[in-house]
């Protein structure tokens, strides 16, 4: 059969099987098995070696270890403390609460690496707090849904590891490449919030004056301006600082070439467990067991998808599907940037339906030949891809963060949440455009890396 | 099905789940052990300047264990991620039937993987193969985890399928499906108090 037709058939069938609701890993293995049986049955005996071999990698160890790093932090009250600390330092800005919520999300997302978990942890405190201070509900919800997605861009990010392993790109470089675009997203979103409160001074004054109640004419018995003394600001620092140091330690050791991502994750996991035990007094057997088994559940779930996806791309490449798909795309009369736009649209659409981890694992190995064929840097593409998938997390029908936000504030209609998140989606798209115009935004830091 | 039969079956179910739970707890501690071993390796390398062959190899063995054997543990609470785009829009009965078919396919996949990987393990054991490193542990140890894990996962799926069938018969399926990715995330209710210690 013509490889080009075959490649289309394989992808459509894989997509359809996944949509049926089968676990992603077994769906991918089932598709691979079916095509091996039909087209090259002699490969059957090598499949267990491929499946086993996909896990036989020290680089992959970074995934469970980063999950292990985040599990104790997610189980503790760290998110509340982080939020409070950020608020005490940032509340004087117009829209300061929004900006500090964003910052807290950025830091927590970096530590915990999971988008919905970040939205739940920070949103649970942030949304009621923002609404209490007169923030329009749509803004509050949109902000949390969006800020939760920082987790897959800001290092350490699990999806970046998946990309690195699936495409044999340096994981350390992918991590470091996410830093500046991540900061850019936070800054642009913060600017939007500040502008919002300049444009709508009514909201601003309410949001600024603490617990203003409109029917009492702004006269409340609560202080108009919240004010924190330096001591009140400093009291949260010792609780939050160690976790910030973990992030900087990981980024620094990767940047300086002192450690591989797996080593950084291992040391980070041990430190985070010790910190949580010391600061939050989590040391009962059930608590430790829950933290560890949750980490095992998440790790095994992702790693099984990883193994299945590697098996899938092994089969695709054996059937010459990967190569012919690249040929099809490269032969399109669109030019270099036309193809990039096409790929972005494709990623956006896939992101609407399929979770980021699965999209990266299925699509990245296929698109990599196209990307390098066009002369783009795979590290740059890692960032482009991630920002695309961030958008998928806040758009229906599967946008997980929308679910979370709806759960926290059930009284707000989905349309309002969507309305609130739209400006942030535009910001994400803007970041993609900026990354295309100035690839250095992603590549400057990793290219300066040592080691 | 007679009373005694269902009694035997529920015992088997408990046995399978017990097995997955014990091996899963081991996997949870394997992750912790991997973190400690990697940390030890970093310290040794930085402080003493020694090479870290066995640390790297052993921690990768633990990774393989956590992935394949942990998969059965993750299945106890149906933690394996799926695309629920379509199924959340189906009527509960149709949804349960679709999920039952998916579970049967998954069980079959596990069976095939187990059937092909037990010989892989057996061969490495008979030929007394070792890894190529200086440390050189026997290869049958890491090779054991894939067949073991897939066998456990297959059994776990059987339990799951039996439950689904019983559920379909009794008609007591839930109205809503819990999304896999959100299972262990506690969504806080509105009005949660902000930090203490003010």
């Amino acid at each position: 059969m013509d490889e080009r037709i075959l490649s289309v058939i394989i992808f459509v069938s894989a997509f359809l099987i996944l949509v049926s609701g089968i676990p992603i890993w077994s769906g991918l293995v089932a598709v691979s098995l079916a095509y091996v049986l039909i087209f090259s049955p002699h490969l059957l005996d090598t499949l267990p070696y491929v499946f086993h071999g996909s896990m036989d990698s020290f680089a992959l160890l970074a995934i469970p270890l980063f999950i292990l790093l985040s599990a104790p932090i997610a189980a503790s009250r760290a998110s509340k403390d982080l939020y409070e600390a950020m608020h005490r330092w940032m509340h004087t800005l117009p829209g300061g609460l929004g900006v500090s919520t964003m910052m807290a999300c950025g830091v927590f997302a970096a530590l915990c690496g999971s988008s919905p978990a970040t939205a739940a942890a920070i949103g649970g405190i942030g949304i009621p707090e923002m609404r209490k201070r007169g923030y329009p509900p749509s803004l509050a919800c949109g902000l949390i849904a969006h800020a939760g997605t920082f987790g897959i861009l800001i290092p350490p990010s699990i999806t970046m590891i998946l990309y690195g392993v699936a495409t044999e790109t340096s994981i350390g470089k992918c991590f470091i490449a996410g830093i500046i675009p991540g900061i850019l997203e936070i800054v642009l979103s913060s600017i939007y919030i500040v502008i919002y409160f300049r444009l709508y001074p009514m909201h601003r004054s309410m949001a600024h004056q603490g617990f203003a109640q409109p029917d009492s004419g702004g006269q409340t018995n609560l202080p108009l301006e919240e004010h924190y003394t330096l001591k009140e600001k400093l009291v949260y620092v010792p609780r939050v600082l160690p976790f910030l140091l973990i992030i900087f330690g990981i980024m620094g050791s990767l940047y300086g070439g002192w450690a591989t991502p797996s080593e950084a994750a291992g040391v980070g996991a041990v430190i985070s467990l010790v910190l949580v035990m010391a600061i939050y007094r989590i040391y009962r057997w059930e608590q430790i067991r829950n933290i560890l088994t949750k980490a095992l559940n998440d790790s095994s779930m992702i790693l099984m998808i990883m193994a299945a996806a590697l098996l899938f791309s092994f089969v695709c490449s054996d059937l010459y599907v990967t190569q012919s798909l690249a040929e099809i795309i490269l032969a399109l009369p669109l030019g270099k940037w036309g193809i990039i736009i096409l790929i972005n649209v494709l990623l956006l659409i896939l992101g609407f339906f399929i979770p980021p981890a699965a999209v990266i694992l299925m699509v990245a190995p296929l698109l990599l030949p196209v990307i390098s064929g066009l002369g783009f840097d795979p590290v740059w593409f890692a960032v482009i891809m991630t920002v695309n998938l961030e958008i998928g997390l806040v758009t229906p029908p599967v946008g997980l963060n929308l679910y979370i936000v709806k759960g926290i504030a059930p009284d707000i209609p989905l349309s309002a949440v969507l309305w609130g998140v739209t400006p942030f989606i535009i910001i994400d798209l803007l970041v993609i455009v900026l990354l295309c115009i100035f690839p250095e935004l992603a590549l400057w830091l990793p290219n300066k890396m040592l080691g | 099905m007679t009373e005694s039969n269902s009694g035997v079956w529920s015992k088997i179910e408990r046995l399978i789940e017990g097995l997955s739970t014990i091996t899963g707890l081991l996997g949870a501690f394997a992750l912790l052990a991997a973190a400690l071993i990697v940390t030890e390796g970093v310290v040794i390398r930085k402080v003493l300047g020694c090479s870290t062959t066995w640390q790297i190899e052993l921690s990768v063995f633990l990774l393989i264990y956590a992935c394949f054997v942990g998969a059965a543990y993750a299945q106890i609470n149906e933690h394996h991620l799926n695309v629920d785009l379509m199924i959340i829009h189906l009527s509960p009965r149709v949804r349960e039937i679709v999920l039952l078919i998916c579970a049967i396919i998954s069980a079959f996949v596990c069976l095939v993987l187990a059937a092909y990987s037990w010989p892989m393990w057996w061969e490495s054991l008979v030929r007394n193969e070792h890894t190529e490193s200086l440390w050189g542990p026997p290869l049958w140890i890491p090779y054991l985890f894939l067949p073991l894990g897939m066998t456990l996962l297959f059994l776990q799926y059987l339990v799951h399928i039996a439950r689904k069938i019983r559920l379909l018969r009794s008609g007591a399926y839930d109205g809503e499906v819990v999304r896999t990715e959100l299972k262990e995330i506690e969504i806080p209710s509105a009005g949660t108090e902000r930090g203490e210690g003010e």
Side-chain angles (χ1 to χ4, degrees), chain A residues 6-15 17-18 24-36 43 47 50-51 54 304-322 325 358-366:
Chain A
L6 181 63
S7 62
V8 173
I9 294 177
I10 287 192
F11 283 101
V12 173
S13 58
F15 185 79
I17 287 202
L18 289 189
I24 292 173
W25 81 266
S26 66
L28 285 175
V29 176
V31 175
S32 314
L33 279 178
Y35 285 101
V36 164
L43 274 181
L47 287 189
V50 175
F51 207 65
S54 63
M304 284 303 284
I305 297 178
M306 177 101 221
L310 290 178
L311 185 72
F312 181 69
S313 42
F314 169 80
V315 171
C316 284
S317 147
D318 184 74
L319 298 176
Y320 211 69
V321 161
T322 319
L325 202 73
V359 175
I360 291 217
L361 287 171
M362 281 175 70
V363 176
L366 296 169

Side-chain angles (χ1 to χ4, degrees), chain A residues 142-200:
Chain A
L143 187 152
I144 290 290
H146 165 69
T149 67
F150 295 155
I152 62 173
L153 184 60
I154 299 175
S157 141
I158 301 291
T159 48
M160 288 287 191
I161 306 177
L162 297 177
Y163 179 91
V165 176
T167 63
E168 290 170 8
T169 311
S170 153
I171 296 169
K173 281 193 172 179
C174 292
F175 271 2
I176 302 295
I179 296 178
I180 292 181
I183 294 173
L184 187 68
E185 271 185 20
I186 297 183
V187 169
L188 287 177
S189 312
S190 305
I191 291 174
Y192 162 72
I193 295 170
V194 173
I195 291 176
Y196 185 96
F197 283 101
R198 290 242 178 262
L199 286 180
Y200 301 98

Side-chain angles (χ1 to χ4, degrees), chain B residues 66-120:
Chain B
C67 171
F68 295 132
V69 183
Y73 182 80
Q75 176 56 29
I76 296 178
N77 295 315
E78 294 175 63
H79 207 83
H80 286 290
L81 182 62
N82 60 355
V83 180
D84 43 19
L85 169 70
M86 183 190 76
I87 48 171
I88 50 176
H89 296 294
L90 299 174
S91 75
R93 186 174 171 79
V94 178
R95 184 188 70 216
E96 290 304 317
I97 293 173
V98 170
L99 287 177
L100 175 66
I101 297 169
C102 290
I104 293 172
I105 298 175
S106 302
F108 180 71
V109 164
C110 296
L111 193 64
V112 173
L113 284 173
Y116 276 91
S117 55
W118 277 118
M120 169 178 92

Side-chain angles (χ1 to χ4, degrees), chain A residues 201-286:
Chain A
M202 199 268 292
H203 287 316
R204 184 194 166 195
S205 63
M206 279 171 66
H208 215 89
Q209 286 170 6
F211 307 88
Q213 284 153 0
D215 43 1
S216 58
Q219 296 291 312
T220 60
N221 41 9
L222 287 158
L224 280 177
E225 291 271 340
E226 267 182 294
H227 185 75
Y228 293 110
T229 61
L230 189 63
K231 193 181 158 226
E232 282 172 324
K233 284 181 179 176
L234 286 176
V235 77
Y236 271 85
V237 170
R239 284 184 162 198
V240 174
L241 198 63
F243 296 106
L244 289 177
L245 287 180
I246 292 184
I247 301 182
F248 288 125
I250 289 169
M251 290 190 197
S253 59
L254 292 178
Y255 184 81
W258 302 320
T260 63
S262 304
E263 290 172 337
V267 178
V270 173
I271 294 176
S272 114
L273 198 59
V274 171
L275 278 179
V276 166
M277 286 164 99
I279 299 178
Y280 296 102
R281 317 219 161 274
I282 290 179
Y283 39 66
R284 289 211 317 275
W285 158 247
E286 308 97 85

Side-chain angles (χ1 to χ4, degrees), chain A residues 163-170 174 322 325-326 329-330 343 360 362-382 385:
Chain A
Y163 179 91
V165 176
T167 63
E168 290 170 8
T169 311
S170 153
C174 292
T322 319
L325 202 73
I329 299 178
L330 284 173
I343 288 177
I360 291 217
M362 281 175 70
V363 176
L366 296 169
L367 288 182
L368 194 74
V370 180
I371 294 301
S372 10
L374 292 172
F376 290 110
D377 194 317
V379 175
W380 169 81
F381 187 61
M385 199 159 181

